[in-house]
Amino acid sequence: MIVLNGGSSSGKSGIARCLQAVLPDRWLAFGVDTLIQAMPMSMHASDEGIEIAADGEVVIGPEFRALEAAWIEGIAAMARAGARVIVDEVFLGGAASQQRWQKALDGLPVLWVGVRCEGAVAAAREVARGDRVTGMAQSQAAVVHQGVVYDVEVDTTHAESLECARAIAARAR
Amino acid sequence: MIVLNGGSSSGKSGIARCLQAVLPDRWLAFGVDTLIQAMPMSMHASDEGIEIAADGEVVIGPEFRALEAAWIEGIAAMARAGARVIVDEVFLGGAASQQRWQKALDGLPVLWVGVRCEGAVAAAREVARGDRVTGMAQSQAAVVHQGVVYDVEVDTTHAESLECARAIAARAR
Amino acid sequence: MIVLNGGSSSGKSGIARCLQAVLPDRWLAFGVDTLIQAMPMSMHASDEGIEIAADGEVVIGPEFRALEAAWIEGIAAMARAGARVIVDEVFLGGAASQQRWQKALDGLPVLWVGVRCEGAVAAAREVARGDRVTGMAQSQAAVVHQGVVYDVEVDTTHAESLECARAIAARAR
Amino acid sequence: MIVLNGGSSSGKSGIARCLQAVLPDRWLAFGVDTLIQAMPMSMHASDEGIEIAADGEVVIGPEFRALEAAWIEGIAAMARAGARVIVDEVFLGGAASQQRWQKALDGLPVLWVGVRCEGAVAAAREVARGDRVTGMAQSQAAVVHQGVVYDVEVDTTHAESLECARAIAARAR
């Protein structure tokens, strides 16, 4: 398994797609967005689920955490059943978020990847995307890496997704 | 768990969203489309992966089957970890497809739901959607139900998704 | 030109796609959604632009009206330049909205089509779509037709989009 | 009006969204993708309409050209009616494509912007996007600029969309 962690608009999804293109085997790619889309509409913008404030701050409620725990178990089971899986994640809780995944992935070979991007550049890309609440990129840029331990780190501030993916793939072998 | 099976454009995704709205608890909803999106681009339109012919016929290759098997194990693990899960599926192999799911879901409470829709009506809805290869709806309408055993069956030919969801929810209790 | 008017989730876009499939010539299809997507992000959810309240009520500001007026002139110019154009619209202002279009389309052959759908059924379809604020369908179902004059009316409550499109196409000849 | 011309995956749409964010007035943004979405499904992948070969080459048919001519007239009419409009375009025919727009926009103040991106970098971004046929970016990178005359040129190879947009906005004043 490969777990990519980085803030909003840091380029994780692009790197995941490039990894699927450059890695020799067929890899499945899932992200926290897959989980959010699977949740009922009533959990979007609710204090039980996930709420995105006007300034881009993301607040996670207890119901979200409960479903997320099952989701993580499911992803781990896919890997145990033989699938190669890339996960792109936003560790809003830093080290505590990583520990949730580490516990579930216990015994599986995992490559932990930090995807960094300077806050100002991520914020500029957020404007260019036009589909995210302004402020998420800047507010998450540093906090998601606090206390997290990586096998590889890439920085998309000045490097293309494909270059970053090649660096990660080299380590995955 | 609730497993919805029906042909393309029979209305499964709409029923899944309505189920999430009418059921008392929070349910996750995944579909075969979630899996296809998670696969590498190279598996779309490839004979190892999934190929959709000009007439709408869908051909599944061995690599697709291998990743799908891991996906099914993962969904089962989410349910075992306590999540309520709705799956919308297209049993191209009829009874054989159902058996793959039955084996993985062994021991879990599952409601098997057949989502029927007359081929001509599903084909008309395919035109209105405008995002599917013409012919998929008609060719799958009957074949996906061959030999499949259900707890409930709904028919979207003359009923709205929300009505169908209410009938399913009544049985889910 | 063909102008389709109906409330949210009444089935206008599906009918437009079916019209493109059944009409003998090549028709362009635009909708109010095309215009909204073309606007700056800052006009979404702003009192200068377009605001959708929690109960689904839509409030249109003066900047939106100014850009909309230019948009309507542009669509009229496409038709005058020889394109066949289908427009799907939501006449929130009823007769006043129709007059804005009538003025711009002066001298062009136009088929005015009312797309009706019972409020309760449109509201049920809104739940099944899962991408609209709940309440828009119900609140718009009747009001958009107030004082509007049509050449043809269709009702999607019990008829498929393709049937409605065939009825409209028969009148378009 | 601002007309952005560049190859596939050169970053035009991102620049257009950034321009909408940094320019003082409200600008509408349309692209060739808006036109393609407005066309009937039957024109996608047809030799009358638009066809994208397996290697990413794009072939445009006579019906596409006819509807495009009306589309260009319509955009010009929006600008004449007072709207500020950003267009993002792919001048597959180079200078000939620009002349089609110049003729329609005659008398209007237009800022012509070249959006360059090294072919290899655009091709890498195409992989990261994952929603374009591989090869379009590389094959269009140079050809779309042949014989085209600009007021400003930006290069996204090493600059962010927002920086490019600021440079364009400075010239637009």
Side-chain angles (χ1 to χ4, degrees):
Chain A
M1 276 197 58
I2 299 176
V3 179
L4 308 172
N5 175 46
S8 184
S9 292
S10 64
K12 300 175 303 296
S13 308
I15 292 177
R17 278 187 290 268
C18 289
L19 279 170
Q20 290 184 302
V22 302
L23 285 166
D25 298 293
R26 316 289 179 129
W27 290 67
L28 293 175
F30 297 103
V32 67
D33 287 348
T34 319
L35 173 61
I36 291 172
Q37 278 166 35
M39 290 190 175
M41 289 287 285
S42 62
M43 290 192 64
H44 303 186
S46 98
D47 54 353
E48 290 290 290
I50 182 165
E51 207 168 357
I52 302 179
D55 66 354
E57 206 207 341
V58 178
V59 183
I60 299 295
E63 289 272 4
F64 186 99
R65 283 283 171 246
L67 291 176
E68 187 195 30
W71 161 255
I72 293 174
E73 289 299 329
I75 298 291
M78 290 183 211
R80 290 206 173 87
R84 289 167 180 88
V85 183
I86 301 162
V87 168
D88 80 77
E89 256 287 0
V90 184
F91 287 170
L92 291 175
S97 301
Q98 187 177 30
Q99 281 153 23
R100 276 198 289 271
W101 276 97
Q102 280 170 324
K103 224 171 114 178
L105 301 180
D106 187 47
L108 287 165
V110 181
L111 190 78
W112 299 92
V113 181
V115 180
R116 294 188 181 267
C117 182
E118 281 175 19
V121 170
R125 290 179 189 164
E126 188 174 65
V127 176
R129 291 173 70 162
D131 62 351
R132 289 293 183 281
V133 175
T134 307
M136 287 175 70
Q138 185 65 262
S139 72
Q140 297 175 1
V143 77
V144 299
H145 298 291
Q146 277 176 5
V148 181
V149 182
Y150 298 115
D151 298 303
V152 204
E153 291 187 57
V154 293
D155 191 324
T156 65
T157 311
H158 302 292
E160 297 292 321
S161 299
L162 188 57
E163 285 173 68
C164 298
R166 288 206 176 107
I168 298 164
R171 280 296 308 268
R173 265 161 224 146
Chain B
M1 275 197 60
I2 299 177
V3 179
L4 307 172
N5 174 47
S8 183
S9 292
S10 65
K12 300 176 302 295
S13 308
I15 292 176
R17 278 188 290 267
C18 289
L19 278 170
Q20 289 184 303
V22 302
L23 284 166
D25 297 294
R26 316 287 180 132
W27 290 68
L28 293 174
F30 297 103
V32 68
D33 288 349
T34 318
L35 173 61
I36 292 172
Q37 279 167 35
M39 291 190 174
M41 288 288 285
S42 63
M43 291 193 63
H44 302 187
S46 99
D47 54 354
E48 290 291 290
I50 182 164
E51 207 167 357
I52 302 180
D55 66 353
E57 206 207 340
V58 177
V59 184
I60 299 297
E63 288 273 4
F64 186 99
R65 283 282 171 247
L67 291 177
E68 187 195 29
W71 162 255
I72 292 175
E73 289 298 331
I75 298 292
M78 290 182 210
R80 288 206 176 86
R84 289 168 179 86
V85 183
I86 301 162
V87 169
D88 79 78
E89 257 286 359
V90 184
F91 287 170
L92 291 173
S97 302
Q98 187 177 30
Q99 281 154 23
R100 276 198 289 271
W101 276 97
Q102 280 170 324
K103 226 172 114 179
L105 301 180
D106 188 47
L108 286 166
V110 181
L111 190 78
W112 299 92
V113 181
V115 180
R116 294 186 180 267
C117 182
E118 282 175 19
V121 169
R125 290 179 189 164
E126 188 174 64
V127 176
R129 288 174 71 162
D131 61 351
R132 289 292 183 280
V133 175
T134 307
M136 286 175 69
Q138 185 65 262
S139 73
Q140 297 175 3
V143 77
V144 299
H145 298 291
Q146 276 175 6
V148 181
V149 181
Y150 298 116
D151 298 305
V152 203
E153 291 188 56
V154 294
D155 191 323
T156 65
T157 312
H158 302 293
E160 297 293 321
S161 299
L162 188 56
E163 284 173 67
C164 297
R166 289 208 174 107
I168 298 164
R171 280 298 307 268
R173 263 159 226 149
Chain C
M1 276 198 59
I2 299 176
V3 179
L4 307 173
N5 174 46
S8 184
S9 292
S10 65
K12 300 176 302 295
S13 308
I15 292 177
R17 278 189 290 267
C18 289
L19 279 169
Q20 290 184 303
V22 302
L23 285 166
D25 298 294
R26 316 289 179 129
W27 290 68
L28 293 175
F30 297 103
V32 67
D33 287 348
T34 318
L35 172 61
I36 291 172
Q37 278 166 34
M39 290 190 174
M41 287 288 284
S42 62
M43 291 193 64
H44 302 188
S46 99
D47 54 354
E48 289 292 289
I50 182 165
E51 207 168 357
I52 302 180
D55 66 353
E57 207 207 341
V58 177
V59 183
I60 299 297
E63 288 273 4
F64 186 100
R65 284 281 172 247
L67 292 176
E68 187 194 30
W71 161 255
I72 293 175
E73 289 298 329
I75 298 292
M78 291 183 209
R80 289 207 173 87
R84 289 168 180 87
V85 184
I86 301 163
V87 169
D88 79 77
E89 257 287 1
V90 184
F91 287 170
L92 291 174
S97 302
Q98 187 176 30
Q99 281 153 23
R100 276 198 289 271
W101 277 97
Q102 279 170 324
K103 226 172 114 178
L105 301 179
D106 187 48
L108 286 165
V110 181
L111 190 78
W112 298 93
V113 181
V115 179
R116 294 187 180 267
C117 182
E118 281 175 20
V121 169
R125 291 179 189 164
E126 188 174 64
V127 176
R129 290 173 70 161
D131 62 351
R132 288 292 183 281
V133 175
T134 307
M136 287 176 70
Q138 185 65 261
S139 72
Q140 297 176 3
V143 76
V144 299
H145 298 291
Q146 277 175 5
V148 181
V149 181
Y150 298 115
D151 297 305
V152 204
E153 291 187 56
V154 294
D155 191 323
T156 65
T157 311
H158 302 293
E160 296 293 320
S161 299
L162 189 55
E163 284 174 68
C164 297
R166 288 206 175 108
I168 298 164
R171 279 298 307 267
R173 265 160 224 147
Chain D
M1 275 198 60
I2 299 176
V3 179
L4 308 172
N5 174 47
S8 184
S9 292
S10 65
K12 301 175 301 296
S13 308
I15 293 176
R17 277 188 290 268
C18 289
L19 279 169
Q20 290 184 303
V22 302
L23 285 166
D25 298 294
R26 317 288 179 130
W27 291 67
L28 293 175
F30 298 103
V32 68
D33 288 348
T34 318
L35 172 61
I36 291 172
Q37 279 166 34
M39 290 190 174
M41 288 287 285
S42 62
M43 290 193 64
H44 303 186
S46 99
D47 54 354
E48 290 291 290
I50 183 164
E51 207 168 357
I52 302 180
D55 67 353
E57 207 208 339
V58 177
V59 184
I60 300 295
E63 288 272 5
F64 185 99
R65 283 282 172 247
L67 291 177
E68 187 195 29
W71 162 255
I72 293 175
E73 289 298 330
I75 298 291
M78 290 182 211
R80 288 206 175 87
R84 289 168 179 87
V85 183
I86 301 162
V87 168
D88 80 77
E89 256 287 359
V90 184
F91 287 171
L92 291 174
S97 301
Q98 187 177 30
Q99 281 154 24
R100 276 199 288 271
W101 276 97
Q102 280 170 324
K103 225 172 114 179
L105 301 180
D106 188 47
L108 286 166
V110 181
L111 190 78
W112 297 93
V113 181
V115 180
R116 294 188 182 268
C117 181
E118 282 175 20
V121 170
R125 291 180 188 164
E126 189 173 63
V127 176
R129 289 173 71 162
D131 62 350
R132 289 292 183 281
V133 175
T134 307
M136 286 175 69
Q138 185 65 262
S139 73
Q140 297 175 2
V143 77
V144 300
H145 298 291
Q146 276 176 6
V148 180
V149 182
Y150 298 116
D151 298 304
V152 204
E153 291 188 57
V154 293
D155 191 324
T156 65
T157 311
H158 302 293
E160 297 292 322
S161 299
L162 189 56
E163 284 174 68
C164 297
R166 288 206 175 108
I168 298 164
R171 281 297 308 268
R173 264 160 225 148

